[in-house]
PDB file of all heavy atoms in Angstrom:
ATOM      1  N   ARG A1028      76.629 112.325 173.060  1.00  0.00           N
ATOM      2  CA  ARG A1028      76.148 111.193 172.147  1.00  0.00           C
ATOM      3  C   ARG A1028      76.619 109.912 172.681  1.00  0.00           C
ATOM      4  O   ARG A1028      77.741 109.645 173.033  1.00  0.00           O
ATOM      5  CB  ARG A1028      76.805 111.491 170.803  1.00  0.00           C
ATOM      6  CG  ARG A1028      76.524 110.488 169.752  1.00  0.00           C
ATOM      7  CD  ARG A1028      77.095 110.807 168.426  1.00  0.00           C
ATOM      8  NE  ARG A1028      76.809 109.879 167.329  1.00  0.00           N
ATOM      9  CZ  ARG A1028      75.584 109.897 166.673  1.00  0.00           C
ATOM     10  NH1 ARG A1028      74.737 110.872 166.922  1.00  0.00           N
ATOM     11  NH2 ARG A1028      75.430 108.905 165.705  1.00  0.00           N
ATOM     12  N   ILE A1029      75.607 108.880 172.490  1.00  0.00           N
ATOM     13  CA  ILE A1029      75.833 107.668 173.048  1.00  0.00           C
ATOM     14  C   ILE A1029      75.794 106.662 171.960  1.00  0.00           C
ATOM     15  O   ILE A1029      74.718 106.571 171.177  1.00  0.00           O
ATOM     16  CB  ILE A1029      74.950 107.164 174.129  1.00  0.00           C
ATOM     17  CG1 ILE A1029      74.881 108.067 175.401  1.00  0.00           C
ATOM     18  CG2 ILE A1029      75.211 105.748 174.524  1.00  0.00           C
ATOM     19  CD1 ILE A1029      73.986 107.942 176.373  1.00  0.00           C
ATOM     20  N   ARG A1030      76.973 105.977 171.615  1.00  0.00           N
ATOM     21  CA  ARG A1030      76.994 104.967 170.564  1.00  0.00           C
ATOM     22  C   ARG A1030      76.796 103.620 171.203  1.00  0.00           C
ATOM     23  O   ARG A1030      77.702 103.212 171.922  1.00  0.00           O
ATOM     24  CB  ARG A1030      78.208 105.178 169.800  1.00  0.00           C
ATOM     25  CG  ARG A1030      78.325 106.500 169.212  1.00  0.00           C
ATOM     26  CD  ARG A1030      79.721 106.371 168.241  1.00  0.00           C
ATOM     27  NE  ARG A1030      79.944 107.796 167.816  1.00  0.00           N
ATOM     28  CZ  ARG A1030      79.507 108.204 166.510  1.00  0.00           C
ATOM     29  NH1 ARG A1030      78.694 107.360 165.856  1.00  0.00           N
ATOM     30  NH2 ARG A1030      79.730 109.370 166.126  1.00  0.00           N
ATOM     31  N   ALA A1031      75.792 102.965 170.949  1.00  0.00           N
ATOM     32  CA  ALA A1031      75.432 101.532 171.575  1.00  0.00           C
ATOM     33  C   ALA A1031      75.434 100.469 170.655  1.00  0.00           C
ATOM     34  O   ALA A1031      75.316  99.372 170.966  1.00  0.00           O
ATOM     35  CB  ALA A1031      74.141 101.713 172.361  1.00  0.00           C
ATOM     36  N   LEU A1032      75.531 100.761 169.347  1.00  0.00           N
ATOM     37  CA  LEU A1032      75.632  99.761 168.393  1.00  0.00           C
ATOM     38  C   LEU A1032      77.046  99.169 168.273  1.00  0.00           C
ATOM     39  O   LEU A1032      77.868  99.910 167.666  1.00  0.00           O
ATOM     40  CB  LEU A1032      75.111 100.149 166.987  1.00  0.00           C
ATOM     41  CG  LEU A1032      73.601 100.454 167.122  1.00  0.00           C
ATOM     42  CD1 LEU A1032      73.126 101.192 165.682  1.00  0.00           C
ATOM     43  CD2 LEU A1032      72.756  99.319 167.185  1.00  0.00           C
ATOM     44  N   ARG A1034      80.237  98.045 170.767  1.00  0.00           N
ATOM     45  CA  ARG A1034      80.602  98.299 172.110  1.00  0.00           C
ATOM     46  C   ARG A1034      80.263  99.741 172.468  1.00  0.00           C
ATOM     47  O   ARG A1034      80.490 100.791 171.718  1.00  0.00           O
ATOM     48  CB  ARG A1034      82.127  98.218 172.198  1.00  0.00           C
ATOM     49  CG  ARG A1034      82.692  98.151 173.554  1.00  0.00           C
ATOM     50  CD  ARG A1034      84.105  97.703 173.626  1.00  0.00           C
ATOM     51  NE  ARG A1034      84.658  97.594 175.030  1.00  0.00           N
ATOM     52  CZ  ARG A1034      84.460  96.531 175.805  1.00  0.00           C
ATOM     53  NH1 ARG A1034      83.803  95.479 175.180  1.00  0.00           N
ATOM     54  NH2 ARG A1034      84.915  96.417 177.022  1.00  0.00           N
ATOM     55  N   THR A1035      79.748  99.912 173.547  1.00  0.00           N
ATOM     56  CA  THR A1035      79.137 101.248 174.052  1.00  0.00           C
ATOM     57  C   THR A1035      80.313 102.311 174.205  1.00  0.00           C
ATOM     58  O   THR A1035      81.265 102.008 174.704  1.00  0.00           O
ATOM     59  CB  THR A1035      78.441 101.019 175.345  1.00  0.00           C
ATOM     60  OG1 THR A1035      77.398 100.022 175.209  1.00  0.00           O
ATOM     61  CG2 THR A1035      77.812 102.386 175.739  1.00  0.00           C
ATOM     62  N   ARG A1036      80.128 103.488 173.594  1.00  0.00           N
ATOM     63  CA  ARG A1036      80.868 104.554 173.789  1.00  0.00           C
ATOM     64  C   ARG A1036      80.176 105.847 174.151  1.00  0.00           C
ATOM     65  O   ARG A1036      79.022 106.003 173.652  1.00  0.00           O
ATOM     66  CB  ARG A1036      81.712 104.764 172.497  1.00  0.00           C
ATOM     67  CG  ARG A1036      82.796 103.743 172.206  1.00  0.00           C
ATOM     68  CD  ARG A1036      83.267 103.756 170.740  1.00  0.00           C
ATOM     69  NE  ARG A1036      82.130 103.321 169.871  1.00  0.00           N
ATOM     70  CZ  ARG A1036      82.045 103.685 168.602  1.00  0.00           C
ATOM     71  NH1 ARG A1036      83.086 104.398 168.082  1.00  0.00           N
ATOM     72  NH2 ARG A1036      81.169 103.282 167.788  1.00  0.00           N
ATOM     73  N   GLU A1038      80.413 110.029 174.139  1.00  0.00           N
ATOM     74  CA  GLU A1038      81.133 111.157 173.556  1.00  0.00           C
ATOM     75  C   GLU A1038      80.465 112.439 173.943  1.00  0.00           C
ATOM     76  O   GLU A1038      79.313 112.606 173.809  1.00  0.00           O
ATOM     77  CB  GLU A1038      81.185 111.092 172.066  1.00  0.00           C
ATOM     78  CG  GLU A1038      81.764 109.827 171.451  1.00  0.00           C
ATOM     79  CD  GLU A1038      81.567 109.692 170.030  1.00  0.00           C
ATOM     80  OE1 GLU A1038      80.891 110.419 169.427  1.00  0.00           O
ATOM     81  OE2 GLU A1038      82.074 108.707 169.465  1.00  0.00           O
ATOM     82  N   ASP A1129      72.770 106.692 168.799  1.00  0.00           N
ATOM     83  CA  ASP A1129      72.835 106.127 167.519  1.00  0.00           C
ATOM     84  C   ASP A1129      71.774 105.165 167.278  1.00  0.00           C
ATOM     85  O   ASP A1129      71.376 104.961 166.085  1.00  0.00           O
ATOM     86  CB  ASP A1129      74.318 105.465 167.270  1.00  0.00           C
ATOM     87  CG  ASP A1129      74.490 104.294 168.261  1.00  0.00           C
ATOM     88  OD1 ASP A1129      73.613 104.081 169.257  1.00  0.00           O
ATOM     89  OD2 ASP A1129      75.471 103.446 168.082  1.00  0.00           O
TER      90      ASP A1129
END
Side-chain angles (χ1 to χ4, degrees):
R1028 179 177 179 83
I1029 300 174
R1030 300 182 184 274
L1032 294 171
R1034 194 171 185 83
T1035 306
R1036 288 163 291 161
E1038 301 168 355
D1129 63 346

